[in-house]
Amino acid sequence: MRFSKLFAPTLREVPAEAEVVSQQLMLRAGFMRKSAAGMYSYLPLAWRVLKKIENIIREEMDASGAQEILMPIVQPAELWQESGRWDVYGLEMVRLKDRHNREFCLGPTHEEMVTSLIRGDVRSYRQLPMNLYQIQNKYRDERRPRFGLMRGREFIMKDAYSFDRDEAGLDVSYKTMYDAYTRIFDRCGLTYRPVEADSGAIGGNGSHEFMVLAESGEAEIAYCTQCDYAADVEKAELHEIVAPEETALEKAEVVTPDCKTIVDVCNYLNLPQDKSVKAVAFKSEKGLILCFVRGDHEVNEIKVVNTVGVNEVEMADEDMLIAAGTCGGYMGPCGIDPKKAIVVCDSTVMKMHNFCCGANKEGYHLVNVNPGRDFTPTYVADIRLIQEGDPCPHCGGKVAKARGIEVGQVFKLFTKYSKAMHATFLDEQGKEQPMVMGCYGIGVSRTMAAAIEQNNDKDGIIWPVAIAPYEVLVVPVNNKDAESTAKAEEIYAALTKAGVETVIDDRNERPGVKFKDADLIGYPLRVVVGPKTLKAGEIEVKARKTGEVTMLPVAGDYVAAIKEMLAKL
Ligand code: ATP
Ligand code: MG
């Protein structure tokens, strides 16, 4: 490709609307242009990257036995009414009507469509297992489309659906997809973590999200520094911490003036924070919920919602606290009337002894409080937020935190759709059984953005070779020098002929401008051909990632040397 002909309109200024680095760089480097919020045209450089990601996905999906199909984007409402999702999907679904006033949607996902497809033609256990996938645009009218391709309204997804005879079969299909995903993201050259994505309600292995680690990630993940354990922070399960045995002392009320926070109280009473219990109060459709965790722990709202079985919680108002016989800053679990408030204690609190907590009275705390003897909560559950240094729920090692971008998810659907939509098969005994399903998504366009979020510097993008739009840029530095320009053309032709994806920057620009654009676009290798080095019989090859410069003899087999360098990057 000749740069003078390439449709890659670079910008000198960072577009003001761009919030994250992938969006800034893709606009600046001429990879994409916006048409409306969350909708973009992919220009040639981006499209090449996307096709490379798609091809890696295709190869690994095919190798794992999945078969590629392509279903319509436009889906009839009836299918979604059958599954019961037409009315619950909400505003994220883009709905439309045809000229006969029939309702349709633009597919946000394809469980309904694929289930209806397979139920007509797959009738026998002999046809199972089966895994079908497609790569296609998806539509979701996200409440907040943002971060460029990371959260778009139109985006490219690979979605696969597996059908098995039973749960044992699903386990195999799920593992096959999980393994394929690790190969896909390895081959894309990304640093990622598969994380447990469910709260353990379906056995702890019902879903994993694949997270590309990057500071700008919307998800916070907790991972073990010693074993493979990783989970979404909101979902990470925690074992109770058992405090060493102690003789129960007599409970007593102490005056604690102006001690509204746990730090104030512990300082005032000279107690370590892990000998105190703090409170968070929520209001919900079931009324007031008082939550208690150890003084140095934090409450995880999602776990509270799940424990109490409410739709959502909000911070409680002071008058609600007063009505329940307590007050802000001095809440404690002792003496709360269960008719006035639901008391939820973290399991670790129940294993503490002689602790300090609020006395439900302005200016007072209780000391030497002991669970069981002094109070009985409505619920005891794991309701705390995992934090750095916590023991890993799998191996006991230390937990650390990182931010991540969800690029893929594998999910066990079991018989949710097959039962609702009557996708059944006949087993060996001729008995009708619902198919057991799984679904597996990869955000293809989000993966491209995530690759940039993870691999960039102040000068631009640093593409992993496997998904770079081109592998090598050849830069003739002095257009007026006929000999070196001719040599650059020769090198460009030789590399292209050898199958190396190469661009030549044949523009009549200063070297500085060419080098800036080379770094911005992020070619893995840049070959500089100039009169000075040529005189010494050499060309200069610079690796974008490491900045390492190698001089290659122009009389030697530089094509082989460049191929070798690419393979090592
Ligand atoms: P999120 O929680 O980020 O909204 P999701 O759970 O809704 O994601 P899935 O329904 O599992 O996502 O979709 C499969 C994959 O599609 C995701 O892992 C993600 O990579 C990608 N994806 C989902 N929503 C978007 C979007 N709005 N823009 C770009 N990619 C997306
Ligand atoms: Mg979503």
Side-chain angles (χ1 to χ4, degrees):
M1 187 72 215
R2 312 190 76 81
F3 203 161
S4 59
K5 297 277 180 284
L6 180 65
F7 182 39
T10 53
L11 305 173
R12 292 283 157 246
E13 296 296 315
V14 179
E17 64 181 59
E19 301 150 291
V20 291
V21 73
S22 59
Q23 188 184 8
Q24 292 164 1
L25 290 173
M26 275 193 277
L27 290 169
R28 263 182 67 201
F31 277 66
M32 64 178 194
R33 286 294 180 261
K34 183 169 127 180
S35 71
M39 297 187 210
Y40 291 86
S41 293
Y42 306 116
L43 307 191
L45 291 174
W47 190 236
R48 288 180 70 93
V49 174
L50 290 166
K51 282 191 290 186
K52 286 193 177 177
I53 298 173
E54 286 186 11
N55 281 339
I56 292 173
I57 294 174
R58 263 195 193 94
E59 284 174 20
E60 294 300 339
M61 293 302 290
D62 293 347
S64 64
Q67 302 177 62
E68 186 170 2
I69 60 170
L70 187 61
M71 293 179 275
I73 288 174
V74 178
Q75 307 186 14
E78 291 79 43
L79 289 181
W80 292 76
Q81 280 152 356
E82 262 190 73
S83 73
R85 286 210 289 181
W86 184 255
D87 294 324
V88 296
Y89 211 95
L91 292 175
E92 231 179 68
M93 185 185 263
V94 181
R95 296 162 205 253
L96 56 151
K97 283 184 181 163
D98 70 4
R99 63 172 73 204
H100 308 294
N101 231 12
R102 285 191 207 107
E103 288 189 292
F104 292 85
C105 71
L106 298 182
T109 177
H110 275 67
E111 283 83 5
E112 282 79 358
M113 182 69 98
V114 77
T115 308
S116 86
L117 173 75
I118 195 164
R119 71 180 165 188
D121 292 295
V122 177
R123 300 293 301 143
S124 158
Y125 69 92
R126 286 191 200 87
Q127 294 165 280
L128 300 177
M130 188 179 279
N131 188 330
L132 300 174
Y133 78 97
Q134 60 173 354
I135 300 178
Q136 180 194 56
N137 275 357
K138 292 278 185 278
Y139 296 83
R140 293 184 186 178
D141 196 358
E142 298 272 357
R143 193 160 53 94
R144 283 189 69 196
R146 58 184 182 153
F147 302 159
L149 300 186
M150 300 249 264
R151 188 165 294 285
R153 294 196 293 172
E154 175 180 276
F155 58 96
I156 307 172
M157 197 203 283
K158 183 284 300 179
D159 45 327
Y161 305 89
S162 67
F163 301 85
D164 276 279
R165 303 163 57 173
D166 49 27
E167 283 186 21
L170 171 61
D171 285 344
V172 176
S173 296
Y174 184 89
K175 176 79 170 50
T176 306
M177 282 296 105
Y178 182 103
D179 292 344
Y181 275 35
T182 60
R183 289 194 302 273
I184 289 166
F185 296 118
D186 281 343
R187 282 184 59 188
C188 286
L190 299 172
T191 307
Y192 66 94
R193 277 244 178 197
V195 309
E196 291 177 8
D198 65 62
S199 52
I202 36 178
N205 60 357
S207 174
H208 286 85
E209 288 165 348
F210 284 74
M211 298 281 187
V212 164
L213 303 182
E215 265 313 304
S216 57
E218 288 183 289
E220 200 177 10
I221 61 178
Y223 64 95
C224 178
T225 49
Q226 277 161 42
C227 77
D228 278 347
Y229 174 79
D232 197 304
V233 161
E234 285 181 343
K235 290 156 188 160
E237 280 176 85
L238 285 163
H239 294 313
E240 63 203 15
I241 302 170
V242 181
E245 268 313 318
E246 274 177 39
T247 323
L249 303 174
E250 200 178 326
K251 185 176 81 169
E253 195 173 273
V254 291
V255 192
T256 49
D258 293 327
C259 290
K260 286 217 164 192
T261 70
I262 208 71
V263 179
D264 294 340
V265 180
C266 290
N267 284 344
Y268 185 78
L269 297 176
N270 198 18
L271 279 175
Q273 276 186 45
D274 63 3
K275 288 292 265 183
S276 71
V277 162
K278 75 175 172 200
V280 179
F282 295 113
K283 60 179 174 191
S284 72
E285 74 264 24
K286 288 192 181 169
L288 180 66
I289 306 173
L290 297 180
C291 304
F292 296 96
V293 292
R294 202 171 78 181
D296 56 336
H297 291 162
E298 298 299 329
V299 172
N300 180 332
E301 270 185 45
I302 310 254
K303 288 182 180 175
V304 173
V305 164
N306 292 338
T307 303
V308 184
V310 289
N311 290 323
E312 57 181 8
V313 293
E314 268 179 76
M315 280 300 153
D317 312 318
E318 186 68 25
D319 41 347
M320 289 183 81
L321 301 182
I322 290 164
T326 181
C327 61
Y330 298 93
M331 291 180 271
C334 303
I336 297 289
D337 179 352
K339 286 193 211 77
K340 293 190 175 154
I342 299 168
V343 173
V344 188
C345 269
D346 183 57
S347 5
T348 293
V349 169
M350 303 307 281
K351 301 288 173 190
M352 292 167 68
H353 315 285
N354 300 321
F355 63 73
C356 161
C357 61
N360 296 317
K361 190 160 119 187
E362 176 90 36
Y364 291 89
H365 277 80
L366 297 174
V367 291
N368 300 331
V369 173
N370 286 281
R373 183 191 76 179
D374 298 329
F375 66 94
T376 312
T378 328
Y379 297 97
V380 173
D382 160 27
I383 57 157
R384 75 183 176 93
L385 206 57
I386 197 163
Q387 53 197 31
E388 298 250 352
D390 257 324
C392 162
H394 284 189
C395 78
K398 268 197 177 10
V399 161
K401 278 188 185 177
R403 297 202 76 85
I405 301 165
E406 180 198 322
V407 287
Q409 180 161 24
V410 289
F411 201 91
K412 290 185 184 172
L413 295 168
F414 297 95
T415 52
K416 179 172 172 188
Y417 294 93
S418 53
K419 276 192 178 146
M421 300 183 69
H422 310 289
T424 59
F425 67 97
L426 298 175
D427 67 13
E428 280 106 323
Q429 280 75 45
K431 203 170 155 243
E432 198 169 350
Q433 303 278 7
M435 295 183 204
V436 183
M437 293 171 57
C439 68
Y440 316 93
I442 292 182
V444 179
S445 42
R446 189 185 279 182
T447 299
M448 171 163 72
I452 300 175
E453 291 294 330
Q454 194 175 67
N455 301 285
N456 68 79
D457 63 13
K458 64 174 191 353
D459 299 320
I461 308 171
I462 307 172
W463 288 109
V465 178
I467 61 171
Y470 286 93
E471 295 164 314
V472 175
L473 175 74
V474 176
V475 186
V477 280
N478 185 348
N479 289 47
K480 292 190 189 77
D481 180 62
E483 196 197 329
S484 63
T485 307
K487 197 71 199 171
E489 289 286 349
E490 188 190 313
I491 293 167
Y492 164 61
L495 286 169
T496 306
K497 191 165 164 243
V500 179
E501 298 171 8
T502 311
V503 173
I504 182 163
D505 193 346
D506 57 343
R507 296 174 301 167
N508 199 6
E509 290 282 4
R510 283 178 291 112
V513 172
K514 292 185 178 182
F515 294 161
K516 264 210 157 57
D517 283 341
D519 283 349
L520 178 61
I521 291 171
Y523 304 92
L525 289 181
R526 186 188 79 186
V527 179
V528 177
V529 190
K532 257 192 229 142
T533 51
L534 265 192
K535 215 164 260 156
E538 288 179 326
I539 52 174
E540 178 199 289
V541 186
K542 186 171 176 188
R544 176 72 177 89
K545 190 172 164 187
T546 56
E548 200 183 328
V549 174
T550 312
M551 302 307 292
L552 292 179
V554 75
D557 191 352
Y558 56 79
V559 172
I562 285 172
K563 279 187 155 179
E564 206 170 294
M565 287 165 81
L566 284 170
K568 280 201 199 122
L569 272 182

